[in-house]
């Protein structure tokens, strides 16, 4: 049975082609006409009940099959009409008689109006919308792909989700491209229906008068009914299919069916229904208006509007007392609760990560409002653990009356480290630097990367993507900002408890290594320092086996910073992959004289070693570095400075206060097979 259904479409297409050649008896032709109308109605209903156009992705193929089916039936019915004295079956006769109603001229005019409405209004409009939608979707593909890549790189989605979203973008472009071509079938079908109708009428009159010997009046009456009936049984399905075409290409992004969207959005504004009712009531003042009909419709609209308005107010009143009672009881319970001094101590611990939101942004993170903030946060935590080997702590979410309605704040251990502002009903359009056009919007700066951007309205989203903007929704802006803030402060978030948990997890796979190194060779405190030093410069700590083995191999070294340098060299494969691209890495190098100056300025005391560089020399090096970075900013987005192993640690510390985003690597931290391209050299005269 399943195989039969799988091959049903192929059999049906073959049957359609056979109908063009094989004459059908009128009884079977009636069945085919009824089947055609039923299938067209099902297609129209499907376009209204799907959530998105991709849920009915076979529509272009269905459109072609339905058009071929109607044309084949047209040919079969024309054969019957012209060879059977104007009789093409009961369906054709019934449609023709119903429309003509005994008046050939009026009936034929009504038929022509139906045909022209289908051709000039619905079919023409659907064709135009298909063309525009196809062009916009194809032009927007690069921007959508960039947005997916940005979400993947920031950890908001994983590789599987990225592949699915890329596939959806590709399917969407292919669907609208196919719809652009398929809409031409609808247009051609409407033209052909007019042509066939006139052929039936003119050829029928000639055949009836020449071969049948009937009078002109008799022939005109017989063949007009047959022609109009035949045209209608073709035009009714064609009208349904044309409407379905327009319906599916005009569907906007939605999470529901068309009926639910229309009902929900109209009911959400009862004041509009009330105003329309009063406007309709005012039409009674126009002389000659049918007062009864106007009053009935006006009364229905006013009753509906006031009923919905009362329901909304009742819902608000139900929520208000509940909130007041909860607030009052909470205040009383709070006093009783804090009479116990032990409960006050519970207020002292700080959350590792907090986010405070203005009241306008609460729906952005509230799951009850349909927000996916928590899901996105979970996916970021998973991605960060895979990339960096560290689990991001739980994020405490709060609303704050002290913030502006559209602002949010990110805190690390109770202190603010980042702040941003979001416009809820807008999209953020980022300027990647290669725009083909400008779009109107509210100028701003993207909070995570500092990229010039614009807040744009949803109706400008497609146009912005065509111009080359990377368009991001407000939730993605917040998640991206949070993810970059966590990456920047990861070294502060790694606690002693996290280190202990990492070691316990490693014991499941290599318990002897953990027992041998911690705490025999290095204490958990110093191990935490080593891991924090790695995270501070963006080096993943996932390969804990290599880290512990390296520490074990340098058991005589007790300085955490020097141990970190040895660990970095052991992790050179990871560092090379992280900063190279296509087997190449573009770097800024240090002149040998500058390195000698730095080495000669290294001072050692009982607390360790530090760099005691002359302030004037420091200023010269930083000035030269600034010039080099400015000259190569189009070549490398993140400055990478390559030094000798001895200099790397001290030069990295020097740059942290001037260029915290700069990366300092040593030759020993790169794989031998990577090609090093020096794009600039820091030399001081």
């Amino acid at each position: 049975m399943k195989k039969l259904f799988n091959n049903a479409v192929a059999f049906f297409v073959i049957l359609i082609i056979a109908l063009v050649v094989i004459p059908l008896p009128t009884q079977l032709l009636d069945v085919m006409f009824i089947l055609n109308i039923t299938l067209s109605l099902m297609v129209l209903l499907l376009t209204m009940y799907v959530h998105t156009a991709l849920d009915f992705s076979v529509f272009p193929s269905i459109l072609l099959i339905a058009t071929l089916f109607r044309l084949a039936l047209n040919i079969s019915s024309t054969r019957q009409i012209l060879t059977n004295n104007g009789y093409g079956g009961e369906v054709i006769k019934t449609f023709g008689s119903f429309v003509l109603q005994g008046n050939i001229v009026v009936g034929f005019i009504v038929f022509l109006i139906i045909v022209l409405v289908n051709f000039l209004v619905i079919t023409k409009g659907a064709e135009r919308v298909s063309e525009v939608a196809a062009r916009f979707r194809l032009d927007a593909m690069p921007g959508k792909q960039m947005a997916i890549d940005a979400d993947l790189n920031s950890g908001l989605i994983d590789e599987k989700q990225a592949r699915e979203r890329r596939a959806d973008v590709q399917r969407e472009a292919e669907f609208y491209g196919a719809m652009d071509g398929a809409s031409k079938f609808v247009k051609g079908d409407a033209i052909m229906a007019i042509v066939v109708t006139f052929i039936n009428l003119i050829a029928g009159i000639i055949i009836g008068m020449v071969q049948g010997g009937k009078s002109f009046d008799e022939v005109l009456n017989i063949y007009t009914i047959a022609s109009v009936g035949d045209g209608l049984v073709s035009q009714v399905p064609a009208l349904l299919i044309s409407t379905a075409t327009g319906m599916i290409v005009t569907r906007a992004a939605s999470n529901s069916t068309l009926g639910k969207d229309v009902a929900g959005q109209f009911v959400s504004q009862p004041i509009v229904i009330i105003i329309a009712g009063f406007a309709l009531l005012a039409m009674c003042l126009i002389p000659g208006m049918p007062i009864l009909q106007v009053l009935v419709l006006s009364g229905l609209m006013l009753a509906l509007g006031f009923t919905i308005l009362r329901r909304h107010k009742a819902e608000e009143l139900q929520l208000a007392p509940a909130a007041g009672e909860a607030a009052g009881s909470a205040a009383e319970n709070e006093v009783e609760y804090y009479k116990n001094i032990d409960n006050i101590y519970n207020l002292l611990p700080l959350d590792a990560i907090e986010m405070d939101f203005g009241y306008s942004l609460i729906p952005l993170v509230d799951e009850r409002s349909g927000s996916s903030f928590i899901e996105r946060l979970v996916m970021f935590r998973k991605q960060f653990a895979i990339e960096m080997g560290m689990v991001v702590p739980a994020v405490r979410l709060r609303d704050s009356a002290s913030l502006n309605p559209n602002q949010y704040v990110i805190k690390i251990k109770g202190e603010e480290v980042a702040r941003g502002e979001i416009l809820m009903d807008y999209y953020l359009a980022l300027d990647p630097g290669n725009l083909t056009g400008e779009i109107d919007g509210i100028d701003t700066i993207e909070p995570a990367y500092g990229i010039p951007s614009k807040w744009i309205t949803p109706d400008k989203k497609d146009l912005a993507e065509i111009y080359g903007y990377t368009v991001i929704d407000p939730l993605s802006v917040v998640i991206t900002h949070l993810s970059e803030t966590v990456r920047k402060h990861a070294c502060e978030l790694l606690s002693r408890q996290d280190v202990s948990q990492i070691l316990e997890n490693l014991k499941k796979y290599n318990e002897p290594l953990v027992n041998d190194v911690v705490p025999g060779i290095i204490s958990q405190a110093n191990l935490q320092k080593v891991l924090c030093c790695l995270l501070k410069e963006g080096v993943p700590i996932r390969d804990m086996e290599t880290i512990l083995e390296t520490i074990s191999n340098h058991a005589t070294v007790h300085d955490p910073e020097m141990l970190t340098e040895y660990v970095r060299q052991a992790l050179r494969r990871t560092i090379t992959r992280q900063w190279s691209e296509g087997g190449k890495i573009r770097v800024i190098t240090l002149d040998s004289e500058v390195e000698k100056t730095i080495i000669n300025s290294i001072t050692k005391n009982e607390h360790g070693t530090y760099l005691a560089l002359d302030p004037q020399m420091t200023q010269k090096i930083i000035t030269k570095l600034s010039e080099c970075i400015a000259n190569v900013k189009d070549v490398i987005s993140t400055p990478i400075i390559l030094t000798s192993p001895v200099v790397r640690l001290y030069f990295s510390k020097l740059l942290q206060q001037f260029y915290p985003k700069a990366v300092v690597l040593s030759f020993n931290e790169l794989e031998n097979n990577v090609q090093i391209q020096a794009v600039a050299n820091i030399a001081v005269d």
Side-chain angles (χ1 to χ4, degrees):
M1 183 62 69
K2 185 177 179 181
K3 290 184 178 179
L4 180 62
F5 280 114
N6 290 339
N7 297 317
V9 175
F11 291 143
F12 189 63
V13 172
I14 294 173
L15 175 62
I16 292 171
I17 297 172
L19 291 178
V20 178
V21 181
I22 301 172
L24 290 180
T26 53
Q27 293 84 356
L28 185 56
L29 194 59
D30 287 340
V31 174
M32 291 295 181
F33 279 131
I34 296 170
L35 178 62
N36 186 25
I37 295 173
T38 305
L39 291 176
S40 302
L41 182 61
M42 289 175 61
V43 170
L44 175 61
L45 292 174
L46 268 173
T47 59
M48 290 189 286
Y49 278 90
V50 295
H51 291 184
T52 63
L54 289 181
D55 292 340
F56 196 14
S57 59
V58 296
F59 183 78
S61 300
I62 296 295
L63 191 61
L64 172 59
I65 294 173
T67 304
L68 288 175
F69 190 32
R70 284 197 303 276
L71 292 176
L73 291 179
N74 266 343
I75 295 171
S76 295
S77 61
T78 299
R79 183 186 290 112
Q80 285 292 341
I81 291 170
L82 297 181
T83 60
N84 203 15
N85 295 322
Y87 181 71
E90 290 300 317
V91 175
I92 291 177
K93 181 180 178 181
T94 302
F95 269 88
S97 301
F98 179 76
V99 173
L100 293 179
Q101 294 290 316
N103 192 323
I104 295 175
V105 177
V106 175
F108 196 76
I109 290 173
V110 171
F111 166 72
L112 286 179
I113 291 173
I114 295 173
V115 173
L116 291 176
V117 165
N118 182 26
F119 175 63
L120 295 179
V121 181
I122 301 177
T123 302
K124 195 72 175 176
E127 179 188 13
R128 178 58 180 163
V129 173
S130 297
E131 291 175 356
V132 174
R135 185 173 73 248
F136 274 29
R137 290 316 190 279
L138 291 172
D139 290 342
M141 276 189 68
K144 291 182 179 179
Q145 295 284 8
M146 289 176 63
I148 294 171
D149 292 339
D151 286 350
L152 178 63
N153 292 335
S154 63
L156 302 181
I157 57 175
D158 56 21
E159 187 63 36
K160 181 181 178 182
Q161 291 174 308
R163 284 196 300 269
E164 291 174 353
R165 287 175 57 177
R166 291 192 189 102
D168 287 342
V169 170
Q170 184 68 30
R171 286 176 60 219
E172 186 182 53
E174 291 173 354
F175 173 80
Y176 282 98
M179 281 302 304
D180 185 20
S183 61
K184 304 297 189 296
F185 293 121
V186 180
K187 178 181 178 182
D189 181 43
I191 296 173
M192 196 62 198
I194 302 174
V195 173
V196 170
T197 301
F198 279 101
I199 289 176
N200 285 340
L201 182 59
I202 296 171
I205 292 173
I206 295 173
I207 292 173
M209 293 181 65
V210 175
Q211 296 181 359
K214 295 182 177 64
S215 66
F216 179 76
D217 291 339
E218 291 177 325
V219 170
L220 185 63
N221 185 58
I222 293 171
Y223 284 98
T224 301
I225 293 176
S227 300
V228 171
D230 183 38
L232 280 175
V233 295
S234 297
Q235 280 305 300
V236 169
L239 184 63
L240 295 175
I241 292 294
S242 299
T243 306
T245 304
M247 195 76 69
I248 200 164
V249 296
T250 54
R251 285 299 303 273
S254 172
N255 292 322
S256 186
T257 62
L258 179 63
K260 290 182 179 179
D261 285 341
V262 171
Q265 293 174 24
F266 269 90
V267 171
S268 65
Q269 300 295 336
I271 191 66
V272 174
I273 302 176
I274 295 172
I275 293 173
F278 280 116
L280 188 59
L281 188 63
M283 292 177 64
C284 292
L285 302 176
I286 302 174
M289 287 295 291
I291 303 298
L292 179 61
Q293 291 89 327
V294 172
L295 287 176
V296 170
L297 290 176
S298 175
L300 288 174
M301 293 189 70
L302 289 173
L304 177 63
F306 281 114
T307 301
I308 298 172
L309 188 62
R310 281 196 299 270
R311 185 182 300 171
H312 286 185
K313 289 182 178 179
E315 291 175 354
E316 292 176 0
L317 290 174
Q318 288 176 359
L319 293 174
E325 291 173 8
S329 60
E332 295 176 5
N333 293 335
E334 186 177 14
V335 173
E336 293 296 326
Y337 181 78
Y338 288 120
K339 283 182 179 179
N340 184 352
I341 194 171
D342 292 333
N343 293 331
I344 298 179
Y345 279 101
N346 295 332
L347 300 174
L348 299 182
L350 294 173
D351 294 304
I353 309 174
E354 298 176 50
M355 290 193 73
D356 294 346
F357 294 89
Y359 68 83
S360 293
L361 302 185
I362 293 176
L364 192 70
V365 296
D366 187 3
E367 287 185 298
R368 293 172 295 181
S369 301
S371 171
S372 60
F373 182 86
I374 301 300
E375 296 176 8
R376 300 278 293 271
L377 193 59
V378 170
M379 293 310 301
F380 163 66
R381 182 179 285 116
K382 172 190 171 186
Q383 188 69 22
F384 191 81
I386 293 173
E387 290 182 3
M388 301 301 296
M390 171 187 166
V391 178
V392 177
V395 180
R396 176 79 67 180
L397 306 178
R398 293 190 178 93
D399 60 327
S400 175
S402 62
L403 295 176
N404 290 338
N406 296 322
Q407 283 187 333
Y408 65 91
V409 167
I410 303 174
K411 297 180 179 180
I412 300 294
K413 296 182 179 179
E415 297 297 331
E416 178 182 335
V417 295
R419 177 184 292 254
E421 189 166 352
I422 294 294
L423 299 184
M424 279 292 293
D425 297 327
Y426 288 71
Y427 282 90
L428 187 65
L430 279 67
D431 179 3
N434 55 348
L435 299 178
T436 58
E438 288 289 333
I439 194 166
D440 294 332
I442 304 171
D443 291 328
T444 186
I445 299 296
E446 195 275 332
Y449 304 105
I451 302 174
S453 312
K454 292 178 183 287
W455 286 109
I456 61 173
T457 52
D459 59 297
K460 297 179 182 177
K461 178 175 179 289
D462 289 339
L463 184 61
E465 291 175 340
I466 292 172
Y467 286 160
Y469 286 93
T470 300
V471 183
I472 305 176
D473 62 277
L475 179 58
S476 297
V477 174
V478 176
I479 291 291
T480 302
H481 194 189
L482 175 62
S483 65
E484 289 303 310
T485 304
V486 169
R487 292 176 190 276
K488 181 179 179 182
H489 297 274
C491 59
E492 301 175 45
L493 297 173
L494 185 69
S495 65
R496 191 73 56 82
Q497 184 178 354
D498 292 329
V499 175
S500 178
Q501 185 66 39
I502 291 173
L503 293 175
E504 288 298 321
N505 188 61
L506 182 59
K507 282 183 179 180
K508 299 176 184 177
Y509 311 99
N510 197 340
E511 185 175 358
L513 176 63
V514 177
N515 294 335
D516 180 53
V517 178
V518 184
I521 296 176
I522 187 172
S523 64
Q524 277 201 19
N526 283 339
L527 177 60
Q528 181 186 3
K529 290 180 182 179
V530 171
L531 297 180
C532 287
C533 288
L534 293 172
L535 290 172
K536 190 173 185 178
E537 297 192 60
V539 179
I541 60 172
R542 188 178 181 186
D543 189 2
M544 282 298 299
E545 290 189 67
T546 300
I547 293 173
L548 293 183
E549 287 174 356
T550 304
I551 293 174
S552 176
N553 293 336
H554 297 83
T556 57
V557 179
H558 301 291
D559 183 2
E561 290 184 341
M562 293 307 300
L563 279 175
T564 303
E565 294 303 302
Y566 290 122
V567 170
R568 288 176 61 95
Q569 294 174 20
L571 295 175
R572 58 182 176 275
R573 188 181 295 109
T574 300
I575 294 175
T576 302
R577 173 190 55 78
Q578 189 175 11
W579 298 110
S580 65
E581 184 176 354
K584 300 178 182 178
I585 183 170
R586 295 182 175 91
V587 300
I588 299 172
T589 57
L590 278 182
D591 187 73
S592 58
E593 292 299 323
V594 175
E595 289 203 350
K596 288 180 181 178
T597 303
I598 294 175
I599 292 172
N600 293 333
S601 302
I602 297 174
T603 304
K604 186 176 183 180
N605 58 19
E606 65 274 9
H607 301 292
T609 57
Y610 62 94
L611 183 63
L613 193 62
D614 179 64
Q616 292 183 350
M617 178 57 67
T618 301
Q619 185 63 39
K620 289 181 180 179
I621 294 174
I622 297 302
T623 302
K624 185 63 178 178
L625 177 61
S626 302
E627 295 175 359
C628 292
I629 292 175
N631 293 334
V632 301
K633 64 180 181 179
D634 295 332
V635 181
I636 49 176
S637 56
T638 302
I640 302 176
I641 296 92
L642 191 62
T643 70
S644 63
V646 179
V647 173
R648 198 214 73 83
L649 173 62
Y650 306 102
F651 193 71
S652 176
K653 287 184 177 181
L654 177 66
L655 291 189
Q656 283 176 6
Q657 55 184 320
F658 299 103
Y659 289 101
K661 292 185 179 180
V663 178
V664 182
L665 304 178
S666 75
F667 291 100
N668 289 358
E669 295 172 1
L670 296 178
E671 289 280 272
N672 296 330
N673 57 357
V674 68
Q675 182 180 348
I676 301 174
Q677 296 181 351
V679 295
N681 183 56
I682 301 174
V684 179
D685 298 332

